[in-house]
Amino acid sequence: LELRRLDDRPGIVREITRLLAEQGVNVERLVTDVRPAPMSSEMLFHAEAILGMPLTLPLETLQKHLETLADDLMVELVLKED
């Protein structure tokens, strides 16, 4: 899971981890930082996580929930299957 947001604010990680916990998803690794945007000097919040998903949870279902949350938080979430 990769997350990018233009304006850093408290609660972003809490909202995402709450959704993941509700779906039974474990966060196995989480790295967060704030870095400059490629085309401007604005600081971007960035997070990358490795998730442990239950076998009973389809990836498409988690993707749908994450997309809804991403719209609410105004963030870009990228879910990749490895």
Side-chain angles (χ1 to χ4, degrees):
L1 173 69
E2 186 175 352
L3 162 75
R4 290 180 222 135
R5 181 181 171 90
L6 285 176
D7 54 330
D8 187 20
R9 69 161 178 80
I12 297 170
V13 173
R14 181 193 63 220
E15 294 296 322
I16 294 168
T17 54
R18 181 184 310 163
L19 181 142
L20 294 173
E22 289 170 354
Q23 299 300 312
V25 176
N26 290 321
V27 177
E28 297 177 359
R29 180 174 174 231
L30 176 64
V31 177
T32 66
D33 66 352
V34 179
R35 48 177 90 153
M39 302 297 256
S40 71
S41 60
E42 285 186 273
M43 297 304 285
L44 295 174
F45 175 79
H46 184 263
E48 290 188 27
I50 296 175
L51 308 176
M53 293 182 48
L55 296 175
T56 57
L57 178 63
L59 186 61
E60 296 80 22
T61 301
L62 180 59
Q63 180 76 38
K64 182 179 174 184
H65 288 292
L66 286 170
E67 286 173 358
T68 299
L69 181 61
D71 289 344
D72 292 344
L73 295 176
M74 296 187 305
V75 298
E76 179 185 349
L77 284 168
V78 179
L79 186 61
K80 298 181 250 181
E81 187 174 11
D82 286 336

